[in-house]
Amino acid sequence: MYWTLACLYGASAVGLGAFGAHGLKKVVSDPAKIANWSTAAHYQLVHSVALLVAAQVQNPISDVLFTTGMTFFSGSLYLLVLNPARFRFLGPVTPLGGLCLIGGWVALALK
């Protein structure tokens, strides 16, 4: 299951990154927000590969932490860039996602 999820997260990271590079400027003009979008796509792509590794070595803790981390970190950034007023409540979710990503790496190291 995590192998498939990692592939889907990787594919969507490429698509969202391409949208950020080519279409987002039509919706968002703030360069800082565009940079945040790029960071979200970059972290999602890198951690999709990490999730592939975790799935291959059968590390269920890393699987969960990487999946949660990508969803919280990148997902909250995407939504905050698109509509910061509506999704302001997600601000604290971003660092929690980052902690999950860090935890995923630590769990992978301890396998």
Side-chain angles (χ1 to χ4, degrees), residues 19-105:
F19 172 71
H22 302 290
L24 187 61
K25 293 175 187 169
K26 297 174 185 172
V27 180
V28 175
S29 59
D30 183 355
K33 288 182 181 178
I34 293 172
N36 285 345
W37 186 280
S38 178
T39 298
H42 178 83
Y43 273 58
Q44 183 179 340
L45 184 60
V46 167
H47 288 90
S48 295
V49 174
L51 182 55
L52 286 173
V53 171
Q56 185 67 31
V57 299
Q58 298 179 359
N59 187 324
I61 295 170
S62 288
D63 291 340
V64 170
L65 288 170
F66 284 140
T67 301
T68 303
M70 283 186 282
T71 302
F72 283 14
F73 183 83
S74 295
S76 64
L77 283 178
Y78 293 137
L79 293 173
L80 286 165
V81 166
L82 291 175
N83 194 334
R86 181 174 180 193
F87 296 108
R88 184 171 312 278
F89 70 93
L90 290 176
V93 172
T94 309
L96 291 175
L99 288 173
C100 287
L101 295 174
I102 293 167
W105 285 106

